[in-house]
C-alpha cells in the first residue's frame, strides 16, 4: 500500500514512524519547508545562538533511509482525490492509496495598511527565521504586535540581540484571553523587568514605510513608534491552501471525524491543519500545539494500519516559558473565574510564582491548575481532574504533585491556608 503524507512536522513524521513500526507500507513524506524534520518549538534558540539548526533535528539524517521512509523536499500544488494523485509544483505526480494531510498552520495577518512592507513578518518557519536575520540586521528597535506565546518568544529573541522591543497588546494584560488577571499581571511585570516596552490596551492601526521598508507604526492612540522591524504574532490558522479546490471538506481547518478521516475516502488529516467535527470534552476543535500533532500522528497510523482508534486527547494541558518564568496548565482554568467555578489562588511574595486551582463551586470537583514558576507533576494533576477529586482532597494531597520534594521548595501549606 502506498501512503503519502504531506508535511514533515511533528504530526506527519509521527504518523510516518508509527505506520512503519506496524507495517511494510510504502511511505513517502513530502514537505516544502525542509527535507528533514526539525523542532519548530526550538526556532527561537537558533536565533539566540543556543542551538544550531542541525541540533533541532530529533533524528539523524540516515534514520529515514534505514526505516524506508522516503522523503521528498518539495511543494504539493494540487491534490486529485478522484484519481488518487498528488501533483508537486515541480511537475512530478505521485499516486497514493492513503493520503495524510499534515500541512500545519499559517501566521495570521490582518489587513493593516502597510503590512506588505519589507520588515513586516510573522514567526512560523525556517524562512521566517532567515527573514528575521535579515530584517533585524540593520535595526536597533522592533515592534511586536500580539500578546501570545509566539509574541513573547519573538520579544525574548530580539531582546537577546539587544534590540529595543515594544510589545503591543490589545487586551488589558499579557495573554489575558487565557490568563486570569493575577497570572497576567505577574507576566506583565516580568516582561517590563526585562526592559520590554509593554503597551497594554494598544492596537496597531497602520504601518508606515519609506523606500518600501517599514519606518514606523501608528497605534490606535495615535502614537508613532519608530522601528524598521514589525513582528506580527496575532495567532495562527490552519494551512488549508491546497485543500481549497478539492472535494475535501473544510471550515477553518480540514474537517475530520473522530478517526481523523476527512469526508473523502482514504484521505486523513492531522496536526495544526485539522478542525475536529465534534469537540472532545474540555477541548477545542482546533488545537495548534505540539503534543496534539504527535497524538494525532499515532492515532492516524493505527487507523491506516487497520487498528481502528478514536482520537481521544483526554484532559487539556500545555506548558510554555515567558522569559524566565515557566508556565504549566492542566484542565480548565478560564480567564474569568465564575460561571459555576470557584478557585484557590496563592502568589509568592516575590511576585514571580503562583498556583491557582479551579474547582466546581457546587460539587467541589477540581477542574484545573495554573502554575507559574512552579512545576507540578502532569500525571498527578491530570489524574486528580479525571478522578474528579474534591478541592479539599487535592489540597490535602498536594505534596504528591511536587517533583523532588527534597530540592523543590514546597508551597502546599500556603495554598491550604487560602479560603476555599
Ligand atoms: C515559534 C513557535 C514556537 C512554538 N512553541 C510551541 C511550544 O512551546 N509548545 C507547543 O506545544 N507548541 C508550540 N508551537 C506550535 C507547534 O510548533 C505546532 O503546533 C506544531 O509544530 C504543528 O505541527 P504540524 O506537524 O501540524 O505542522 P508543521 O510543523 O507546521 O509542519 C507542516 C509542514 O507541512 C509543510 N507543508 C505545508 N504545505 C505544504 C505543501 N503544499 N507542500 C509540501 N509541504 C507543505 C510545511 O512546509 C511544514 O513544514 C510553536 C510554534 C511556533 C511557530
Amino acid at each position: 500500500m502506498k501512503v503519502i503524507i504531506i508535511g514533515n512536522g511533528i504530526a506527519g513524521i509521527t504518523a510516518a514512524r508509527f505506520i512503519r513500526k506496524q507495517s511494510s507500507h510504502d511511505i513517502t513524506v513530502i514537505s516544502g519547508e525542509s527535507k528533514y524534520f526539525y523542532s519548530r518549538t526550538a526556532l527561537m534558540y537558533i536565533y539566540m545562538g543556543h542551538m544550531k539548526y542541525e541540533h533541532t533535528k530529533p533524528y539523524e539524517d540516515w534514520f529515514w533511509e534505514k526505516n524506508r521512509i522516503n522523503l521528498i523536499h518539495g511543494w504539493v500544488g494540487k491534490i486529485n482525490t478522484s484519481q488518487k494523485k498528488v501533483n508537486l509544483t515541480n511537475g512530478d505526480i505521485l499516486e497514493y492509496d492513503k493520503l495524510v494531510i499534515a500541512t500545519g498552520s499559517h501566521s495570521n495577518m490582518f489587513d493593516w495598511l502597510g503590512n506588505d512592507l519589507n520588515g513586516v513578518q510573522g514567526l512560523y518557519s525556517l524562512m521566517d527565521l532567515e527573514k528575521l536575520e535579515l530584517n533585524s540586521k540593520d535595526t536597533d528597535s522592533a515592534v511586536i504586535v500580539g500578546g501570545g506565546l509566539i509574541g513573547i518568544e519573538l520579544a525574548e529573541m530580539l531582546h537577546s540581540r539587544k534590540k529595543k522591543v515594544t510589545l503591543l497588546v490589545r487586551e488589558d494584560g499579557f495573554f489575558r484571553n487565557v490568563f486570569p488577571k493575577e497570572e497576567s499581571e505577574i507576566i506583565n511585570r516580568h516582561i517590563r523587568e526585562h526592559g520590554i516596552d509593554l503597551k497594554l490596551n494598544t492596537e496597531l492601526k497602520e504601518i508606515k514605510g519609506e523606500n518600501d521598508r517599514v519606518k514606523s507604526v501608528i497605534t490606535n492612540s495615535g502614537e508613532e513608534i519608530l522601528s524598521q522591524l514589525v513582528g506580527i504574532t496575532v495567532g495562527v490558522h490552519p494551512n488549508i491552501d491546497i485543500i481549497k479546490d478539492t472535494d475535501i471538506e473544510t471550515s477553518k481547518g480540514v474537517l475530520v471525524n473522530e478517526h481523523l478521516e476527512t469526508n473523502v475516502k482514504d484521505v486523513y488529516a492531522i496536526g495544526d491543519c485539522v478542525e475536529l467535527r465534534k469537540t472532545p470534552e474540555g477541548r477545542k476543535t482546533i488545537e495548534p500545539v505540539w503534543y496534539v500533532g504527535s497524538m494525532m500522528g499515532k492515532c492516524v497510523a493505527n487507523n491506516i494500519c487497520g487498528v481502528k482508534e478514536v482520537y481521544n486527547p483526554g484532559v487539556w494541558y500545555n506548558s510554555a516559558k515567558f522569559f524566565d518564568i515557566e508556565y504549566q496548565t492542566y484542565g480548565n482554568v478560564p480567564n474569568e473565574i465564575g460561571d459555576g467555578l470557584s478557585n484557590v489562588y496563592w502568589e509568592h511574595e516575590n511576585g514571580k510564582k503562583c498556583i491557582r486551582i479551579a474547582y466546581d463551586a457546587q460539587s467541589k470537583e477540581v477542574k484545573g491548575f495554573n502554575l507559574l514558576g512552579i512545576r507540578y507533576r502532569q500525571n498527578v494533576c491530570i489524574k486528580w481532574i479525571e478522578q474528579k477529586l474534591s478541592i479539599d482532597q487535592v489540597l490535602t494531597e498536594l505534596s504528591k504533585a511536587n517533583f523532588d520534594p527534597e530540592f523543590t521548595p514546597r508551597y502546599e501549606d500556603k495554598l491550604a491556608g487560602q479560603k476555599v
Side-chain angles (χ1 to χ4, degrees):
M1 177 162 48
K2 283 188 182 156
V3 181
I4 290 188
I5 299 168
I6 309 175
N8 72 354
I10 181 65
I13 283 301
T14 307
R17 285 177 45 239
F18 279 82
I19 293 170
R20 172 53 68 243
K21 274 177 195 256
Q22 299 177 61
S23 75
S24 55
H25 296 335
D26 180 340
I27 307 169
T28 298
V29 182
I30 309 168
S31 208
E33 183 183 354
S34 60
K35 179 165 178 188
Y36 297 106
F37 169 49
Y38 79 96
S39 173
R40 191 173 299 293
T41 56
L43 274 177
M44 69 182 295
Y45 301 108
I46 305 178
Y47 184 84
M48 287 164 60
H50 303 184
M51 286 174 129
K52 290 207 157 65
Y53 164 67
E54 280 70 35
H55 306 142
T56 67
K57 289 190 282 185
Y59 302 92
E60 302 284 349
D61 292 354
W62 52 256
F63 175 88
W64 309 104
E65 204 183 324
K66 182 168 179 259
N67 287 287
R68 288 170 295 114
I69 295 172
N70 179 30
L71 302 181
I72 296 180
H73 186 194
W75 293 100
V76 172
K78 212 173 141 207
I79 300 169
N80 184 333
T81 54
S82 54
Q83 293 180 16
K84 290 192 149 186
K85 284 182 184 160
V86 160
N87 297 50
L88 272 74
T89 52
N90 68 4
D92 290 352
I93 300 175
L94 303 178
E95 290 182 6
Y96 67 82
D97 298 306
K98 304 265 184 195
L99 178 67
V100 180
I101 299 158
T103 47
S105 291
H106 279 318
S107 303
N108 287 340
M109 207 37 106
F110 299 109
D111 273 345
W112 287 296
L113 207 60
N115 68 11
D116 52 353
L117 287 162
N118 290 322
V120 181
Q121 68 162 104
L123 177 67
Y124 190 82
S125 61
L126 288 166
M127 290 77 103
D128 289 335
L129 203 63
E130 268 173 36
K131 250 195 220 170
L132 191 66
E133 281 292 348
L134 271 178
N135 286 334
S136 61
K137 206 168 78 186
D138 48 6
T139 178
D140 51 15
S141 65
V143 175
I144 299 169
V145 184
L149 301 179
I150 299 181
I152 194 161
E153 283 195 3
L154 186 54
E156 185 173 352
M157 290 158 74
L158 292 161
H159 179 259
S160 77
R161 299 239 188 138
K162 312 266 184 282
K163 310 288 176 197
K164 179 180 179 302
V165 179
T166 307
L167 183 57
L168 308 186
V169 173
R170 187 179 55 182
E171 292 75 26
D172 62 0
F174 176 79
F175 213 30
R176 189 65 179 90
N177 49 0
V178 175
F179 272 167
K181 198 161 178 281
E182 290 80 4
E183 284 88 324
S184 178
E185 280 175 358
I186 290 178
I187 304 302
N188 291 344
R189 283 195 301 271
H190 192 61
I191 292 172
R192 288 183 170 132
E193 275 165 19
H194 279 83
I196 309 292
D197 185 6
L198 173 66
K199 290 186 188 293
L200 301 175
N201 300 305
T202 306
E203 289 180 53
L204 172 65
K205 198 166 152 236
E206 182 185 343
I207 307 170
K208 292 200 156 197
E210 200 170 62
N211 303 325
D212 277 345
R213 174 85 198 239
V214 176
K215 185 188 80 168
S216 65
V217 304
I218 309 288
T219 70
N220 57 344
S221 68
E223 184 184 1
E224 180 167 18
I225 306 167
L226 296 178
S227 172
Q228 288 191 296
L229 169 56
V230 179
I232 305 286
T233 55
V234 287
V236 297
H237 61 273
N239 172 3
I240 54 171
D241 294 355
I242 50 168
I243 319 299
K244 281 181 185 149
D245 298 327
T246 68
D247 47 1
I248 302 166
E249 278 177 17
T250 59
S251 176
K252 284 187 180 134
V254 186
L255 288 167
V256 295
N257 65 13
E258 67 275 26
H259 300 294
L260 306 175
E261 295 160 330
T262 69
N263 62 309
V264 175
K265 191 168 177 305
D266 294 329
V267 180
Y268 303 76
I270 53 176
D272 276 22
C273 67
V274 157
E275 179 172 352
L276 298 171
R277 286 182 191 273
K278 217 171 121 197
T279 322
E281 200 193 330
R283 308 285 303 212
K284 299 205 167 96
T285 52
I286 301 177
E287 292 185 330
V289 290
W290 185 265
Y291 76 89
V292 163
S294 167
M295 283 170 117
M296 285 186 171
K298 284 182 201 159
C299 179
V300 89
N302 284 339
N303 283 317
I304 285 175
C305 295
V307 186
K308 204 85 173 153
E309 184 182 320
V310 168
Y311 170 66
N312 177 12
V315 172
W316 166 254
Y317 66 91
N318 201 9
S319 64
K321 192 175 72 65
F322 306 117
F323 284 89
D324 314 316
I325 298 184
E326 282 191 66
Y327 158 59
Q328 291 179 305
T329 190
Y330 303 115
N332 174 29
V333 183
N335 62 348
E336 302 293 347
I337 307 288
D339 208 12
L341 279 186
S342 191
N343 72 131
V344 278
Y345 177 78
W346 167 80
E347 188 172 315
H348 193 282
E349 59 205 20
N350 72 6
K352 290 182 194 298
K353 296 173 198 257
C354 74
I355 303 170
R356 184 186 299 274
I357 310 179
Y359 60 94
D360 186 284
Q362 279 212 323
S363 68
K364 306 266 186 194
E365 281 166 16
V366 159
K367 296 292 179 191
F369 295 76
N370 266 1
L371 298 141
L372 285 179
I374 294 164
R375 300 177 99 215
Y376 271 176
R377 287 180 189 277
Q378 175 177 331
N379 57 342
V380 174
C381 295
I382 297 232
K383 196 178 73 192
W384 285 338
I385 296 168
E386 282 171 352
Q387 293 178 341
K388 301 179 192 275
L389 240 64
S390 77
I391 181 67
D392 302 310
Q393 276 173 288
V394 166
L395 288 176
T396 311
E397 297 184 22
L398 205 53
S399 61
K400 290 186 181 159
N402 273 317
F403 284 93
D404 299 331
E406 274 181 58
F407 303 109
T408 318
R410 301 171 65 150
Y411 302 107
E412 53 270 16
D413 55 330
K414 311 266 198 265
L415 205 67
Q418 304 299 305
K419 193 160 180 280
V420 178

